């Protein structure tokens, strides 16, 4: 009896549908995570405001993220995913031993880093914000908060490695859903703070007046949130058939190769964080200087909140799409299939653009009302205009979202080929532009507008990054689907522009009639709905391929 014929390889449409399904799972999880994240920042703003106390908490909470990304976060995401995929393909045990060695190494290393960081907290706070350390009481509060937050470095790393092990096994949802638990813990923490000490509108708390009990509550709650997020990954790993067994036999099993690749990723992150450190130093200094002039809430906390909103579309769409594409991209690169690499990169750029481009124009036109709607609750009196400052910063960031997303996709192409040196040199250009523009804004603009100018420079710097990365990637893979990609972006911009004009007109008209927080929320809902509807109508008339195909796939899935 002749053997049964082999099943045919899945065609491009099947592969793209599979990627869309994986991306949809992650995008949904990320959307819920970011949604609860916004609720989290709303509660934080209601509890401690977006002024100097908000700057103090943001500085302390930024430190562990900065250190984690600097020490290993970039390498874990960009270097070890391709290595995990290769170990699953080549190792007899399907990569289980390699994953155990990696997880053991990360846990050991980050535990040591967290211990040293807690001891060095005063020096680290000085590094991120000299202005917050000038006053002894402000310094004591910020350092105390930092010592509670810094151990989260350990839990961040554990969460990421567990998530990447799951991603390499085709389980994409857990890494995007578990941050919801972290957000819920922090929301509960700051809700408890409001219950005990009242909202910022009533307490007007500052780093100088906050109680030790309040600092302890906020610090422990922040630490507990990350711990819950990391530990909640364990059931997902067990369901995927992975059981952690500590392994300390690190030599001779491929981790050295990954570490050599990570060298350039470390320098990449170092350059990136150096640019961000300049921004945080000058943003906190500008916020304090503006507060002395009577302009509250225009410093680091406002900048961080605007940055959080600005990054949402990329976190929901671009990161989700490329997280699903990256294992496949790595396999294509390992097989020296440049055509498949080009197709996957084109898919990632064009699919993400459907959400990224209209989102950038939405932030540009509706930034002020978005800031007021999200962060205005619980902030009254002199601080109310600070929430509008968040919105102006969001508008300044806005159009930089497009090159920010494009560069993220392009760099995945280099990482798929285990090239970590080129992304480093690319980021040097971006970081230099960010730092240079921040210094220029600090020197030229009034204190109340300096940080808004920094936001504009931050987003625009990624256009320089794209200009540097694009020709190098085209040379590496023998060209890119440039004409088709450019056509998609241009057509999306054309569809977004009249919609943004409509959204801005509705915003100005309604805000002239409604000037309270509820009015801001209503204005945002009406203006955003009209702007998105107008964009979809124009895009459909223009028959933008990616929008129509994406909508068709979503409808087919909903109909099953």
């Amino acid at each position: 009896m002749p053997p049964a014929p082999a099943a045919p390889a899945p065609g491009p449409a099947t592969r793209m549908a599979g990627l869309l399904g994986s991306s949809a799972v992650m995008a949904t999880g990320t959307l819920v995570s970011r949604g609860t994240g916004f609720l989290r920042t709303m509660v934080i703003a209601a509890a401690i405001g977006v002024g100097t106390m908000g700057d103090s908490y943001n500085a302390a909470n930024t430190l562990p993220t900065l250190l984690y990304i600097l020490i290993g976060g970039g390498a874990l995401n960009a270097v070890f995913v391709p290595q995990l995929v290769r170990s699953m393909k080549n190792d007899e045990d399907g990569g289980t031993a390699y994953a155990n060695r990696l997880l053991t190494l990360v846990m050991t290393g980050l535990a040591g880093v967290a211990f040293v960081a807690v001891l060095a907290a005063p020096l680290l706070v000085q590094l991120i914000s000299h202005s917050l350390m000038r006053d002894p009481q402000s310094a004591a509060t910020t350092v105390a908060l930092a010592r509670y937050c810094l151990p989260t470095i350990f839990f961040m790393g554990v969460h990421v490695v567990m998530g990447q092990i799951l991603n390499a096994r085709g389980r994409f949802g857990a890494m995007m859903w578990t941050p919801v638990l972290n957000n819920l813990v922090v929301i509960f923490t700051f809700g408890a703070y409001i219950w005990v000490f009242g909202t910022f509108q009533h307490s007007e708390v500052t780093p100088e007046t906050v109680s030790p009990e309040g600092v302890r509550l906020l610090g422990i709650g922040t630490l507990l949130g990350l711990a819950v997020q990391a530990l909640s990954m364990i059931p997902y790993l067990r369901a995927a058939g992975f059981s952690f067994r500590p392994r300390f036999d690190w030599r001779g099993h491929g981790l050295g190769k990954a570490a050599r690749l990570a060298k350039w990723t470390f320098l990449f992150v170092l350059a990136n964080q150096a640019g961000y450190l300049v921004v945080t130093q000058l943003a906190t200094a500008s916020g304090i200087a503006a507060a002395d002039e009577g302009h509250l809430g225009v410093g680091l906390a406002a900048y961080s909140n605007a940055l959080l909103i600005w990054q949402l579309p990329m976190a929901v769409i671009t990161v989700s799409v490329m997280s699903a594409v990256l294992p496949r991209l790595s396999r294509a690169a390992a097989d020296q299939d440049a055509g498949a690499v080009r197709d996957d990169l084109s898919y990632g750029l064009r699919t993400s653009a459907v959400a990224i481009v209209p989102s950038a124009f939405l932030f540009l036109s509706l930034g002020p009302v978005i800031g007021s709607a999200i962060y205005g609750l619980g902030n009254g009196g002199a601080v109310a205009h600070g929430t509008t400052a968040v919105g102006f910063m969001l508008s300044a960031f806005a159009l930089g979202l497009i090159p920010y997303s494009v560069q993220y996709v392009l760099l995945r192409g280099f990482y798929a080929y285990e090239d970590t040196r080129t992304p480093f040199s690319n980021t040097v250009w971006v970081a230099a532009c960010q730092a240079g523009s921040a210094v220029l804004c600090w020197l030229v603009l009034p204190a109340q507008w300096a940080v808004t100018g920094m936001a504009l420079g931050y987003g625009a710097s990624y256009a320089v990054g794209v200009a540097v990365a694009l020709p190098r990637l085209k040379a590496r893979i023998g060209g890119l689907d440039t004409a088709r990609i450019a056509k998609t972006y241009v057509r999306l911009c054309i569809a977004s522009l009249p919609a943004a004009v409509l959204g801005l007109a509705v915003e100005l008209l309604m805000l002239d009639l409604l000037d309270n927080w509820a009015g801001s929320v209503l204005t945002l809902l009406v203006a955003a709905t009209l702007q998105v509807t107008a964009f979809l109508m124009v895009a459909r008339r223009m028959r933008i391929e990616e929008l129509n195909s994406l909508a068709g796939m979503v409808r087919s899935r909903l109909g099953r």
Side-chain angles (χ1 to χ4, degrees):
M1 183 175 179
T14 303
R15 291 196 298 268
M16 289 302 104
L19 288 175
L20 181 64
S22 299
S23 302
V25 171
M26 290 184 289
T28 303
T30 304
L31 188 61
V32 175
S33 174
R34 290 303 178 110
T36 54
F38 282 130
L39 182 57
R40 163 182 170 155
T41 56
M42 289 175 66
V43 177
I44 291 174
I48 60 176
V50 292
T52 54
M53 185 61 201
D55 285 353
S56 182
Y57 178 78
N58 267 278
N61 200 32
T62 297
L63 264 177
T65 304
L66 188 152
L67 286 174
Y68 161 70
I69 293 175
L70 178 62
I71 292 166
L76 291 176
N77 281 308
V79 176
F80 286 104
V81 172
Q83 294 300 316
L84 281 168
V85 170
R86 284 171 172 79
S87 69
M88 289 180 64
K89 179 180 178 181
N90 301 324
D91 295 355
E92 293 182 358
D93 66 348
T96 299
Y98 183 91
N100 275 311
R101 292 186 188 100
L102 175 60
L103 187 53
T104 304
L105 176 62
V106 168
M107 291 175 69
T108 303
L110 289 182
V113 169
F115 178 75
V116 173
V118 170
L119 296 179
L123 178 62
L124 293 173
V125 173
Q126 188 76 250
L127 179 67
I128 199 170
S129 178
H130 174 70
S131 300
L132 290 171
M133 297 294 285
R134 290 177 181 172
D135 181 85
Q137 290 178 300
S138 174
T141 295
T142 309
V143 169
L145 286 169
R147 283 189 163 136
Y148 284 112
C149 293
L150 282 165
T152 62
I153 297 171
F154 173 82
F155 297 107
M156 288 180 192
V158 171
H159 178 259
V160 167
V161 174
M162 288 179 173
Q164 299 297 15
I165 291 172
L166 287 169
N167 285 355
R169 285 161 169 73
R171 306 291 184 92
F172 298 102
M175 195 172 181
M176 306 301 175
W177 282 96
T178 47
V180 174
L181 299 177
N182 174 25
N183 291 333
L184 292 177
V185 171
V186 175
I187 290 169
F188 176 81
T189 298
F190 278 83
Y193 180 93
I194 292 173
W195 183 60
V196 175
F197 300 101
T199 64
F200 178 77
Q201 183 175 352
H202 297 95
S203 67
E204 297 185 355
V205 65
T206 67
E208 293 78 18
T209 61
V210 65
S211 68
E213 294 79 12
V215 171
R216 192 177 305 120
L217 173 61
L218 300 182
I220 292 175
T222 302
L223 174 58
L224 184 61
L226 264 296
V228 170
Q229 173 180 301
L231 295 176
S232 63
M233 296 291 284
I234 295 175
Y236 291 98
L237 287 171
R238 289 179 176 172
F242 178 82
S243 297
F244 174 58
R245 298 288 185 272
R247 298 196 60 154
F248 296 91
D249 53 333
W250 300 330
R251 290 183 177 273
H253 295 285
L255 290 175
K257 176 185 178 182
R260 288 190 297 273
L261 293 171
K263 172 185 69 176
W264 289 107
T265 303
F266 170 78
L267 294 174
F268 166 97
V269 175
L270 180 63
N272 193 36
Q273 296 305 312
Y276 185 68
L277 277 176
V278 174
V279 174
T280 57
Q281 286 280 4
L282 297 179
T284 51
S286 297
I288 292 173
D292 291 340
E293 298 172 1
H295 303 285
L296 303 180
V298 294
L300 178 62
Y303 182 92
S304 299
N305 288 337
L307 187 65
L308 178 68
I309 303 171
W310 180 68
Q311 291 175 330
L312 175 64
M314 201 190 88
V316 172
I317 301 299
T318 310
V319 174
S320 297
V321 168
M322 293 312 297
S323 293
V325 169
L326 186 56
R328 169 184 160 83
L329 193 66
S330 301
R331 285 190 289 270
D335 295 337
Q336 297 300 312
D337 187 352
V341 171
R342 285 194 296 271
D343 289 343
D344 285 339
L345 289 175
S346 176
Y347 167 81
L349 287 166
R350 291 181 293 104
T351 303
S352 59
V354 174
I356 294 298
V357 173
S359 295
F361 280 87
L362 184 75
F363 293 156
L364 179 66
S365 60
L366 303 184
V369 74
I370 293 173
S372 297
I374 295 178
Y375 299 113
L377 185 62
N379 284 277
V383 181
H385 74 279
T387 61
T388 305
V390 174
F392 284 124
M393 291 179 195
L394 177 59
S395 292
F397 275 121
L399 294 184
L401 181 66
I402 299 172
Y404 180 48
S405 174
V406 170
Q407 180 186 260
Y408 180 89
V409 176
L410 295 179
L411 294 189
R412 301 313 104 175
F414 294 111
Y415 289 134
Y417 282 100
E418 299 184 338
D419 178 2
T420 54
R421 183 172 182 172
T422 303
F424 159 69
S425 61
N426 179 267
T427 299
V428 170
W429 285 93
V430 174
C433 291
Q434 290 172 351
S437 62
V439 172
L440 183 64
C441 292
W442 164 251
L443 294 175
V444 174
L445 296 176
Q448 70 182 98
W449 292 109
V451 183
T452 303
M454 294 176 200
L456 178 64
Y458 183 91
S461 66
Y462 284 98
V464 176
V466 170
V468 173
L470 188 59
R472 295 181 179 181
L473 183 60
K474 291 171 71 174
R476 180 63 186 265
I477 63 177
L480 196 60
D481 193 10
T482 310
R484 187 181 182 191
I485 295 167
K487 179 182 177 182
T488 298
Y489 278 83
V490 170
R491 286 161 64 84
L492 286 169
C493 287
I494 293 173
S496 298
L497 184 58
V501 173
L502 174 63
L504 177 61
V506 174
E507 176 188 24
L508 294 175
L509 178 63
M510 292 188 65
L511 286 180
D512 191 47
L513 302 173
L514 306 169
D515 60 355
N516 54 17
W517 175 76
S520 296
V521 173
L522 180 60
T523 299
L524 175 59
L525 292 174
V526 173
T529 300
L530 292 175
Q531 181 167 335
V532 171
T533 302
F535 163 75
L536 290 174
M537 291 175 61
V538 175
R540 288 184 183 280
R541 291 292 298 271
M542 295 177 68
R543 297 183 180 179
I544 296 176
E545 173 188 348
E546 291 74 18
L547 180 66
N548 293 333
S549 61
L550 185 64
M553 287 185 178
V554 171
R555 283 196 300 269
S556 67
R557 286 184 170 274
L558 291 176
R560 288 180 183 176

